[in-house]
Amino acid sequence: MRIVALGGIGEIGRNMTVYEYRGKLLIVDCGVLFPEATEPGVDLILPDFSYIEDRVQDIEAVVITHGHEDHIGALPFLLRLRRDLPVLGATFSNALIAAKCKEHRINPKLQTVREGDLLSVGAFDLEFFAVNHSIPDALAVGIRTPAGTVLHTGDIKLDQLPLDGRLTDLGGFSRFGEEGVDLFMVDSTNAEVPGFVAPEREIGPVLDRFIASAKQRVIVASFASHVHRIQQVVDAAQRHGRKIAFVGRSMVRNMQIAQELGFLTVPDGLIRSMDKILDLAPDKVVLISTGSQGEPLSALSRMARGDHRQVNLVAGDTVILASSMIPGNETSVFTVVNELARIGVQVVHQGMAKVHVSGHASAGELLYLYNAVKPKNVIPVHGEWRHLRANAALAALTGVPKDRILMAPDGVVVDLIKGKASVVGMIEVGHVYVDGNSVGDVGDATLSDRLVLGEGGFISVTVAIDATTGRAVSPPTVSGRGFSDDPNALDAVVPLVEMELARSENDGIVDPHRIAQAVRRIVGRWVGDTYRRRPMIIPTIITV
Amino acid sequence: MRIVALGGIGEIGRNMTVYEYRGKLLIVDCGVLFPEATEPGVDLILPDFSYIEDRVQDIEAVVITHGHEDHIGALPFLLRLRRDLPVLGATFSNALIAAKCKEHRINPKLQTVREGDLLSVGAFDLEFFAVNHSIPDALAVGIRTPAGTVLHTGDIKLDQLPLDGRLTDLGGFSRFGEEGVDLFMVDSTNAEVPGFVAPEREIGPVLDRFIASAKQRVIVASFASHVHRIQQVVDAAQRHGRKIAFVGRSMVRNMQIAQELGFLTVPDGLIRSMDKILDLAPDKVVLISTGSQGEPLSALSRMARGDHRQVNLVAGDTVILASSMIPGNETSVFTVVNELARIGVQVVHQGMAKVHVSGHASAGELLYLYNAVKPKNVIPVHGEWRHLRANAALAALTGVPKDRILMAPDGVVVDLIKGKASVVGMIEVGHVYVDGNSVGDVGDATLSDRLVLGEGGFISVTVAIDATTGRAVSPPTVSGRGFSDDPNALDAVVPLVEMELARSENDGIVDPHRIAQAVRRIVGRWVGDTYRRRPMIIPTIITV
């Protein structure tokens, strides 16, 4: 069996693992990654499908472990390559996939699986296990092939008191381990964090206390897929005689789905529409909103800035961020918190009260997993390098031999042969960018230009020359954007360019490219000397 | 007495407070702020000097509480307005100011003050108090005028076991409080953090343990002004038979100064130059480096990327980040940590071991301050809104009446009259940007252009038209930067523009501005419809 991650190892996001056996493929998850500051303007990053795009007919199925964006977000793009790909997921995951695909005008071929199910897709015999995470209905998948057995956890934690009673199936893992797990693919996200994640059950009373003591409006922002957290808010609202409304497109949509499928229970009459709820007294209201990551266009950010169409927050209102801060979002979250603090809104966040716990196993829980599964080989997945290393160290502590713990980031090809996993090669797995409605046309050259332009703007110099003599037929047009607010900042450039043009003409140069190069050089040097800046210099020489 | 902050309240950075009495001014601190992602390409942000620039002759003195950049960094720019401004600071602060001013070719008029000093500058009677922070020789300043008494803490914590034995002078504050403090200006940075900052003394043994157990090279990255932390590293290195070298320009410079002034004690022969130290066995070496914030050009980042000229890190080396993460720097710090983890370097940071403590008082310490000083009025300073609100809540808990706790962010004018502080107005205090070697020419328009260019690049369309007929005399030149890697991405633009030009010509339009507007509109619409992107559209119409 061959294993290649097209995303998700060495980074957090765009999880996608390809399992190959005798030319047939099984894919687990197909998610997106969100761009960093060094990837400006990009909307999404997809796994690189190059390795499989000519072999989509050989894909037996795509297994989805759960419905988070970093596990399902790229599925519509994969389905564009083959519309009838069988997709296997649990009820709630499939409902979110269907909603997402609808936006892309794709009708996916979904098959519902659940914990305990055993089924075969081609040569891959699959077994599904219940796991808990920060979304309902998450699954781990066991994969048996004649060449070996793999256990792929997906995102996992071991909450021993889950709100829905659906435990991570540690017993099932033990049994599977007894049979012999050749390769264990394990979530690394919290491997650096010692101890155990507190039970979800401890969050409810804290939320309840803040809602009970609030004298005015309460807004709770959380992840739009964190149904159990939302259930806790709903319950607390009901206990304290407050009506609720869902705010934000994904929150409204997902909570509708969760209710329809029975994952979220809301007493009759508790929900109001946004229009209706605002007629109630402030102390009769809880709004449940998106925007917990400080997304500038989210409902919460707009409320904080005072430009939400319906909700006008005032001093004494309460905002609870029942969420973690995804790394990289700290600044935007605190921008929102500061805007709220300025108004005089009381802000409660994870830093000051236990209003959220992580959905990923801490080190202590990972040890339970290793000891249950007793794997022969381990690949830490779902993490940046620091997480992978920490997870590898835990595997080693439980007795997995160090040469059987593989650091296999995206693109590393691992073969599992006779119970031993080895790195056998490397494929190219670049970042595939979605920008607007096109995929893949934005690449490194474009991003590097954006970074230069974003740092220093540009200075453009346009000159029309006579095609035969090379003589300028009009004065140079010089303008800058993103360079200076001073309208006279570039006054010195016109005479500078004119001098250079005269020099070129004297030298008999008529090639527009050579003239452009000379202009770029002289203007670049001038701006470096004068301003110590490096804007992009854009010479345009047109011949008439 | 009138009080106006030109920076530092409502933000962390560029601290500068103006105290006015009978037309004369006393300034406390003059620092810089570092730009956020929404201020791309900018090097530094200065306090807005507009309020005082016509009155620099009325400034009696500038008092510097300590030598951090956010308290001294803008001083050279202020001194450009008046070179002979008297600057009062402690020994270490003044040494750092002198070094900074030298880079700006300014020779400041420095006067050294120390704790216990009483001196008058004009009508302002000053008293200096020792405080501890994350840099040696920090001071608080008491300001007595006939109109009232102020206590200005500067950055402060209450380490009860400071390494140099120099306690924050809580007794002095009490005595000053007994006399009656009309206005207390208090550091808010950690007001949200419950409890007490652990003593600096607890860090040493942790650093010692990691250095003792390291088998290869150790690199410790910390703040270049955190002399006490560096002292702990030096001591541990000596105990374990390792030589040290300082790496990074500011680290080398500051540790030289600290040694000369007796703030840092390094045994003879312990320091090696970088050239010499690399000949030693890896387990005989500790490098003390800058780069703890993940700055891409720092020594540590270059080592992590494998492009440091001298140091080549290998698996098994140890890097200790003996520092906090300044908010906003998380992504860059973890980028470095991940690069190090990839190599196999063991990385130790504050998240996993007590290798750093903050230099700012937590809530518990702030309560001690309020109870010692018993102020009549309070202005929380040195913080974003969330910190100011938390600090205000602490003041209220100790019994300061709520109407005497003023939220007075940058630019808010406060008058202290007969023992009562009140907001009386507001002045404009914009962000003044330093970009390259010029100050103030980059403003909101430029930044907003940079943000657009950084997100989507630009498409330029250049056309030469006949000045009298409006007829195009050459085909349009279309090019994009930061838009797409696809060379054919803009193929459709030329015919589109040609059609528009023909239309304009037919309509008898010869005004280049109107033609440019039409081109911008049509290309903008096309790119929105085709790509769902919004690059900047730059039409250039030249007349020949």
Side-chain angles (χ1 to χ4, degrees):
Chain A
M1 179 153 48
R2 172 160 290 183
I3 301 101
V4 190
L6 304 187
I9 315 190
E11 64 196 355
I12 292 192
R14 62 165 194 162
N15 296 281
M16 182 168 181
T17 308
V18 179
Y19 295 93
E20 278 181 84
Y21 177 70
R22 302 216 159 178
K24 294 294 182 179
L25 312 180
L26 178 80
I27 290 173
V28 178
D29 290 331
C30 188
V32 291
L33 171 69
F34 295 99
E36 296 194 4
T38 49
E39 299 165 319
V42 167
D43 298 319
L44 295 172
I45 303 165
L46 305 182
D48 188 338
F49 298 149
S50 321
Y51 182 64
I52 53 160
E53 64 188 351
D54 295 335
R55 304 156 71 194
V56 286
Q57 294 309 325
D58 297 326
I59 300 173
E60 303 280 11
V62 181
V63 171
I64 297 296
T65 59
H66 64 282
H68 279 152
E69 284 298 317
D70 58 334
H71 294 255
I72 69 168
L75 203 46
F77 299 92
L78 182 63
L79 292 174
R80 286 187 197 170
L81 302 179
R82 184 181 150 201
R83 299 244 160 186
D84 67 344
L85 259 181
V87 176
L88 276 55
T91 304
F92 190 62
S93 313
N94 282 356
L96 295 186
I97 293 167
K100 168 168 288 295
C101 286
K102 199 172 169 191
E103 290 169 7
H104 287 257
R105 296 160 196 270
I106 289 174
N107 186 18
K109 194 177 154 193
L110 293 168
Q111 182 180 343
T112 302
V113 292
R114 47 169 292 138
E115 52 267 32
D117 282 1
L118 288 158
L119 76 152
S120 299
V121 288
F124 301 95
D125 293 335
L126 307 181
E127 178 168 355
F128 293 94
F129 300 90
V131 300
N132 54 48
H133 181 43
S134 47
I135 187 170
D137 229 10
L139 294 170
V141 57
I143 306 166
R144 292 184 184 88
T145 72
T149 296
V150 178
L151 181 56
H152 184 116
T153 64
D155 295 6
I156 188 170
K157 67 173 172 176
L158 278 79
D159 189 342
Q160 295 303 298
L161 298 168
L163 291 175
D164 59 0
R166 186 173 175 275
L167 289 158
T168 290
D169 185 6
L170 197 60
F173 288 172
S174 292
R175 174 186 47 74
F176 205 67
E178 289 299 320
E179 289 178 31
V181 166
D182 296 302
L183 178 61
F184 192 32
M185 310 280 281
V186 205
D187 180 359
S188 308
T189 315
N190 275 340
E192 286 185 313
V193 181
F196 295 79
V197 177
E200 291 283 337
R201 218 163 271 238
E202 293 182 11
I203 306 305
V206 181
L207 292 171
D208 193 276
R209 203 172 66 230
F210 283 107
I211 292 173
S213 65
K215 303 226 165 11
Q216 295 175 199
R217 199 137 47 183
V218 176
I219 291 97
V220 182
S222 190
F223 299 108
S225 58
H226 205 319
V227 178
H228 294 164
R229 182 78 62 258
I230 308 301
Q231 182 73 61
Q232 293 174 312
V233 179
V234 168
D235 294 348
Q238 192 199 10
R239 264 193 300 277
H240 300 292
R242 289 173 180 255
K243 303 291 180 191
I244 62 162
F246 295 116
V247 192
R249 207 171 55 91
S250 57
M251 185 64 83
V252 171
R253 188 194 76 176
N254 290 2
M255 292 309 121
Q256 177 79 31
I257 292 171
Q259 278 186 84
E260 284 166 9
L261 297 175
F263 290 98
L264 180 74
T265 309
V266 185
D268 282 347
L270 195 72
I271 298 187
R272 295 289 161 95
S273 70
M274 271 296 276
D275 291 333
K276 297 255 170 74
I277 204 164
L278 297 172
D279 300 336
L280 299 178
D283 66 346
K284 297 295 174 213
V285 172
V286 174
L287 304 179
I288 300 173
S289 169
T290 54
S292 68
Q293 299 305 307
E295 306 90 330
L297 300 179
S298 69
L300 184 66
S301 288
R302 283 182 283 128
M303 290 179 207
R305 285 195 305 266
D307 62 6
H308 191 274
R309 202 165 44 86
Q310 294 169 295
V311 184
N312 181 32
L313 295 180
V314 297
D317 286 343
T318 302
V319 168
I320 303 173
L321 299 174
S323 53
S324 55
M325 261 183 271
I326 294 175
N329 293 350
E330 295 86 354
T331 311
S332 15
V333 174
F334 282 125
T335 298
V336 173
V337 172
N338 282 320
E339 282 162 342
L340 293 168
R342 176 197 288 260
I343 301 170
V345 170
Q346 187 202 6
V347 187
V348 180
H349 56 76
Q350 204 192 2
M352 56 177 62
K354 206 191 262 181
V355 290
H356 184 71
V357 288
S358 173
H360 297 271
S362 288
E365 291 154 82
L366 291 171
L367 294 175
Y368 273 83
L369 289 178
Y370 286 117
N371 287 330
V373 176
K374 298 185 184 67
K376 296 202 182 67
N377 300 272
V378 168
I379 297 181
V381 306
H382 207 281
E384 301 168 1
W385 270 95
R386 60 196 177 104
H387 309 115
L388 305 179
R389 290 280 185 201
N391 202 358
L394 295 171
L397 284 174
T398 63
V400 182
K402 285 203 175 162
D403 65 330
R404 298 296 180 99
I405 305 168
L406 275 66
M407 304 308 286
D410 300 350
V412 167
V413 181
V414 173
D415 277 359
L416 178 63
I417 297 170
K418 294 185 181 154
K420 174 147 179 39
S422 326
V423 171
V424 297
M426 183 84 188
I427 60 161
E428 190 72 37
V429 280
H431 275 187
V432 176
Y433 298 110
V434 179
D435 187 358
N437 62 4
S438 63
V439 178
D441 78 308
V442 169
D444 290 342
T446 296
L447 292 183
S448 138
D449 281 351
R450 285 183 186 173
L451 289 168
V452 171
L453 289 166
E455 284 284 299
F458 70 84
I459 297 173
S460 75
V461 179
T462 309
V463 181
I465 59 167
D466 184 287
T468 47
T469 63
R471 170 174 222 124
V473 297
S474 73
T477 304
V478 174
S479 71
R481 294 297 290 270
F483 179 71
S484 176
D485 280 23
D486 177 358
N488 304 315
L490 300 175
D491 284 356
V493 178
V494 168
L496 196 74
V497 171
E498 280 176 333
M499 239 160 58
E500 184 60 31
L501 292 172
R503 197 177 305 141
S504 293
E505 195 193 339
N506 276 343
D507 294 350
I509 299 172
V510 294
D511 175 9
H513 293 292
R514 282 188 62 192
I515 298 173
Q517 268 181 1
V519 167
R520 179 183 293 119
R521 197 168 47 235
I522 196 129
V523 176
R525 194 180 304 150
W526 171 84
V527 77
D529 292 347
T530 313
Y531 285 93
R532 296 200 185 281
R533 297 185 198 161
R534 293 197 294 179
M536 194 179 275
I537 312 291
I538 316 280
T540 307
I541 311 297
I542 55 179
T543 48
V544 292
Chain B
M1 181 153 47
R2 171 160 292 183
I3 301 99
V4 190
L6 304 186
I9 315 190
E11 63 195 355
I12 291 191
R14 65 163 191 162
N15 295 281
M16 181 169 183
T17 309
V18 179
Y19 294 93
E20 279 181 81
Y21 176 70
R22 299 212 162 180
K24 295 294 183 180
L25 312 181
L26 178 79
I27 290 172
V28 178
D29 291 330
C30 189
V32 291
L33 172 69
F34 294 99
E36 297 194 5
T38 50
E39 300 164 319
V42 167
D43 298 319
L44 295 172
I45 303 164
L46 305 181
D48 188 337
F49 298 150
S50 321
Y51 182 64
I52 53 160
E53 66 189 349
D54 294 335
R55 303 157 69 193
V56 286
Q57 294 308 328
D58 297 325
I59 301 172
E60 302 280 11
V62 181
V63 171
I64 298 295
T65 59
H66 63 283
H68 279 153
E69 284 298 317
D70 59 334
H71 293 256
I72 69 169
L75 204 47
F77 299 91
L78 182 63
L79 292 175
R80 285 187 197 171
L81 302 179
R82 186 181 147 199
R83 298 244 159 186
D84 67 345
L85 259 181
V87 176
L88 276 55
T91 304
F92 190 63
S93 314
N94 282 356
L96 294 186
I97 293 168
K100 169 168 289 294
C101 285
K102 199 172 170 192
E103 290 169 8
H104 286 257
R105 296 160 197 270
I106 288 174
N107 186 18
K109 193 176 152 193
L110 293 169
Q111 183 181 341
T112 302
V113 292
R114 47 170 293 138
E115 52 267 34
D117 282 0
L118 288 158
L119 76 150
S120 300
V121 288
F124 301 95
D125 293 335
L126 307 182
E127 178 168 356
F128 293 95
F129 301 90
V131 299
N132 55 47
H133 182 43
S134 47
I135 188 170
D137 229 7
L139 295 171
V141 57
I143 307 165
R144 293 185 184 88
T145 72
T149 296
V150 178
L151 182 56
H152 184 117
T153 63
D155 295 6
I156 187 170
K157 67 173 173 176
L158 279 79
D159 189 341
Q160 295 302 298
L161 298 168
L163 291 175
D164 59 359
R166 186 173 174 276
L167 288 158
T168 290
D169 185 7
L170 197 60
F173 289 172
S174 292
R175 174 185 47 74
F176 205 66
E178 290 298 323
E179 289 178 30
V181 166
D182 297 302
L183 177 61
F184 192 33
M185 309 279 282
V186 205
D187 181 359
S188 308
T189 315
N190 275 340
E192 284 185 314
V193 181
F196 295 79
V197 177
E200 290 284 338
R201 216 161 271 239
E202 293 183 11
I203 306 304
V206 182
L207 291 172
D208 193 277
R209 204 173 65 231
F210 283 108
I211 292 174
S213 64
K215 303 226 164 12
Q216 296 175 200
R217 198 136 50 184
V218 175
I219 291 97
V220 182
S222 191
F223 299 108
S225 58
H226 205 319
V227 178
H228 294 165
R229 182 78 63 257
I230 308 301
Q231 183 73 63
Q232 292 175 313
V233 179
V234 168
D235 295 347
Q238 193 199 10
R239 264 194 299 277
H240 301 292
R242 289 173 181 254
K243 303 290 180 192
I244 62 162
F246 295 117
V247 192
R249 206 171 55 91
S250 57
M251 184 64 83
V252 171
R253 188 195 76 175
N254 290 1
M255 291 310 121
Q256 178 77 30
I257 291 171
Q259 278 185 87
E260 285 166 10
L261 296 175
F263 290 98
L264 181 74
T265 308
V266 184
D268 283 346
L270 196 71
I271 298 188
R272 295 289 161 98
S273 70
M274 272 296 276
D275 290 334
K276 296 254 170 75
I277 204 164
L278 297 173
D279 300 336
L280 299 179
D283 66 346
K284 296 293 173 217
V285 172
V286 174
L287 303 179
I288 301 173
S289 168
T290 54
S292 68
Q293 298 306 306
E295 305 90 329
L297 300 178
S298 69
L300 184 66
S301 287
R302 282 183 283 127
M303 290 178 207
R305 285 195 304 267
D307 63 5
H308 192 274
R309 202 165 43 85
Q310 295 169 296
V311 184
N312 182 32
L313 295 180
V314 296
D317 287 343
T318 301
V319 168
I320 303 174
L321 298 175
S323 53
S324 55
M325 261 183 270
I326 294 175
N329 294 349
E330 295 86 354
T331 311
S332 15
V333 174
F334 282 125
T335 298
V336 172
V337 172
N338 282 320
E339 281 161 343
L340 293 167
R342 177 197 287 259
I343 301 169
V345 171
Q346 187 202 7
V347 187
V348 180
H349 56 77
Q350 205 193 2
M352 55 176 61
K354 207 192 262 181
V355 290
H356 183 71
V357 288
S358 173
H360 298 272
S362 288
E365 291 154 82
L366 291 171
L367 294 175
Y368 273 83
L369 289 178
Y370 285 117
N371 287 330
V373 175
K374 298 185 185 68
K376 295 201 184 68
N377 299 272
V378 168
I379 297 181
V381 306
H382 206 281
E384 300 169 3
W385 270 95
R386 60 195 176 106
H387 309 114
L388 306 178
R389 291 280 184 201
N391 202 357
L394 295 170
L397 284 174
T398 64
V400 182
K402 286 203 175 161
D403 65 332
R404 298 296 179 97
I405 305 169
L406 276 66
M407 303 308 286
D410 301 349
V412 167
V413 181
V414 174
D415 277 359
L416 177 63
I417 297 170
K418 294 186 180 154
K420 174 150 180 34
S422 325
V423 171
V424 298
M426 184 85 187
I427 60 162
E428 190 72 36
V429 282
H431 275 188
V432 176
Y433 298 109
V434 180
D435 186 358
N437 63 4
S438 63
V439 179
D441 78 307
V442 169
D444 290 341
T446 297
L447 292 183
S448 138
D449 280 351
R450 285 183 186 173
L451 289 169
V452 171
L453 289 166
E455 284 283 299
F458 69 84
I459 297 172
S460 75
V461 180
T462 308
V463 182
I465 59 166
D466 183 289
T468 48
T469 64
R471 168 171 225 128
V473 298
S474 73
T477 304
V478 173
S479 71
R481 294 297 290 270
F483 180 70
S484 176
D485 280 23
D486 177 357
N488 304 315
L490 300 174
D491 283 357
V493 178
V494 169
L496 196 73
V497 171
E498 279 175 335
M499 238 159 60
E500 184 60 32
L501 292 172
R503 197 177 305 141
S504 293
E505 194 193 340
N506 276 343
D507 294 350
I509 298 171
V510 294
D511 175 9
H513 293 291
R514 281 187 64 192
I515 298 173
Q517 267 181 2
V519 167
R520 178 182 294 121
R521 198 168 46 237
I522 197 131
V523 176
R525 194 180 304 149
W526 171 83
V527 76
D529 291 347
T530 313
Y531 285 94
R532 296 202 184 280
R533 297 187 198 160
R534 292 197 294 178
M536 194 179 274
I537 313 291
I538 315 280
T540 306
I541 312 296
I542 56 181
T543 49
V544 294

